[in-house]
Amino acid sequence: MSLLFKGRQNSNDKQKKSVLAGGYFFIINIFRQGVHSLGEMWRTPLASMMTIAVLGLSLTLPATLYLVVKNVQQVSSGFEEASEISLFVKDSMNEQETQTLVKRLALYPEVESVKFISKQEALAEFKDVSGFGQALKYLDRNPLPNVVLVIPTQRNRQPNAAKVLLAKLESEREIDFGKLDIAWLERLNALLDLLKESVITIAMLLLTSVTLIIGNTIRLSIMDKKEEIQVMKLVGATNTFIHAPFLWTGIWYGVIGGLFAFISVGLMMWWLSSAVSSVAGVYQTSFSLIGLSLNELGFLILLATSLGFVGSYLSVNRYIKEIEPDKI
């Protein structure tokens, strides 16, 4: 009995080893075909580089639009909050009543700081800024009101919270009306949302074109090797063995096309950086363009590889089925 069980155990061990060996050689063969497909691309450098350039440029445009949105968001991030509320005091209020108002407003939990600007200070500042200093001397009286500038707390600087605070401040009896210059911020956010949607739409169209380009390239390669595929099917080659080189070709196109797009975007950002710095210098500020991070580079390569695989798979699954040995 022990000999019988020992024989069965040896048979099971051999079967496990054969399965493991089969899987090992299968994986090795797949990677060997990947290297072979890369060599096939190297043998036709002009055609391969033209295809890669088309794919890379097709990926460059959505990547560039993404960076445009990213940099615009960086610029607008400093304006995402309502920095101050202007409260215009009624003309009937004297200076003592106005000072009492300032102290009372400073006690609001939603208020970080309060600054009082008298009508005399406002007029002097207007003379310096407007350039109409001489003309303003002919005015009979100061037309400007007393103004109280209120800086909300960090929590209340968002547009909706700032609007609620403005309504609360306007309810004070000394206040004629208040102003919160936030409409431009809402328009900016609306434009950013429109830009994002446009980028997504354009990116979807271009990524679809990348898939179709790769699919058409693989189709031409399949037609070029039609007789070779017929012979391979005739001698009993499996579908995996026949499909693998073409799938690898699509993957290589995606990987190299993604790297091409990354290099193109980097060169474009380098070329524009000096011009952007010059424009920022005119406005007495500093700004540097943000490029693709390592994570974004990895996502770009993964996306390009996935598109290459999908495009090649669609062509392989469609056209290799139609090639049969009996049609030689």
Side-chain angles (χ1 to χ4, degrees):
M1 294 293 289
S2 61
L3 293 175
L4 178 61
F5 286 113
K6 185 176 181 180
R8 290 181 178 176
Q9 184 176 2
N10 291 335
S11 177
N12 291 334
D13 291 340
K14 290 180 180 179
Q15 187 175 2
K16 290 179 181 179
K17 290 180 180 179
S18 63
V19 172
L20 292 175
Y24 171 78
F25 285 112
F26 175 79
I27 295 174
I28 293 297
N29 183 60
I30 291 295
F31 281 101
R32 185 183 300 142
Q33 289 179 317
V35 175
H36 175 73
S37 65
L38 188 60
E40 288 286 336
M41 293 172 59
W42 182 257
R43 293 185 188 94
T44 56
L46 182 60
S48 298
M49 286 306 300
M50 289 180 65
T51 303
I52 291 170
V54 171
L55 297 177
L57 293 175
S58 298
L59 292 170
T60 298
L61 183 56
T64 303
L65 293 175
Y66 166 77
L67 287 180
V68 169
V69 175
K70 185 177 178 180
N71 283 275
V72 170
Q73 286 179 329
Q74 179 194 8
V75 174
S76 64
S77 61
F79 306 106
E80 286 297 321
E81 298 173 345
S83 58
E84 65 182 22
I85 297 174
S86 300
L87 299 175
F88 297 92
V89 182
K90 293 179 180 178
D91 291 336
S92 58
M93 298 293 110
N94 56 40
E95 185 175 351
Q96 183 178 359
E97 292 174 324
T98 305
Q99 292 296 338
T100 303
L101 170 67
V102 171
K103 293 178 182 179
R104 188 166 68 251
L105 295 180
L107 299 176
Y108 275 48
E110 303 93 340
V111 174
E112 182 177 297
S113 63
V114 180
K115 180 182 179 182
F116 172 67
I117 300 177
S118 66
K119 58 175 65 180
Q120 292 77 16
E121 293 174 340
L123 182 61
E125 182 179 352
F126 182 74
K127 287 180 179 179
D128 295 336
V129 175
S130 65
F132 295 105
Q134 296 297 327
L136 293 175
K137 292 180 180 180
Y138 295 98
L139 293 176
D140 296 334
R141 63 183 183 85
N142 187 351
L144 300 178
N146 294 320
V147 179
V148 178
L149 297 181
V150 176
I151 307 297
T153 59
Q154 193 71 28
R155 185 178 180 181
N156 292 275
R157 292 181 188 178
Q158 299 302 319
N160 292 333
K163 287 181 179 179
V164 173
L165 177 59
L166 174 62
K168 184 176 180 181
L169 294 174
E170 285 182 323
S171 63
E172 295 287 344
R173 64 179 183 83
E174 297 91 345
I175 301 300
D176 190 4
F177 66 94
K179 182 171 180 169
L180 175 62
D181 193 9
I182 208 168
W184 67 271
L185 179 58
E186 294 176 339
R187 289 193 290 268
L188 176 61
N189 290 333
L191 289 175
L192 280 176
D193 292 339
L194 177 61
L195 183 59
K196 291 177 184 178
E197 294 295 329
S198 301
V199 169
I200 293 174
T201 303
I202 295 173
M204 292 298 295
L205 293 174
L206 290 174
L207 295 180
T208 302
S209 69
V210 169
T211 305
L212 295 176
I213 291 170
I214 294 177
N216 186 62
T217 303
I218 299 301
R219 181 186 68 83
L220 294 176
S221 179
I222 292 173
M223 295 297 103
D224 186 55
K225 298 181 179 179
K226 180 178 179 180
E227 295 181 358
E228 182 180 340
I229 295 172
Q230 288 174 327
V231 172
M232 292 171 66
K233 284 190 174 184
L234 189 62
V235 299
T238 62
N239 289 332
T240 302
F241 184 85
I242 298 173
H243 293 178
F246 299 104
L247 296 176
W248 270 110
T249 301
I251 291 173
W252 287 124
Y253 277 135
V255 171
I256 303 174
L259 291 174
F260 185 95
F262 174 73
I263 294 172
S264 299
V265 171
L267 291 175
M268 188 182 306
M269 300 295 288
W270 170 78
W271 180 265
L272 294 175
S273 59
S274 59
V276 172
S277 299
S278 300
V279 173
V282 172
Y283 290 93
Q284 298 179 349
T285 184
S286 60
F287 178 77
S288 57
L289 293 174
I290 301 177
L292 293 174
S293 64
L294 290 178
N295 290 335
E296 291 165 341
L297 169 61
F299 178 78
L300 177 63
I301 300 298
L302 179 61
L303 177 62
T305 304
S306 302
L307 293 174
F309 176 80
V310 171
S312 59
Y313 177 79
L314 293 175
S315 289
V316 165
N317 195 47
R318 170 69 174 83
Y319 295 103
I320 290 184
K321 285 183 179 180
E322 298 178 354
I323 302 176
E324 294 297 335
D326 57 357
K327 298 180 181 180
I328 297 178

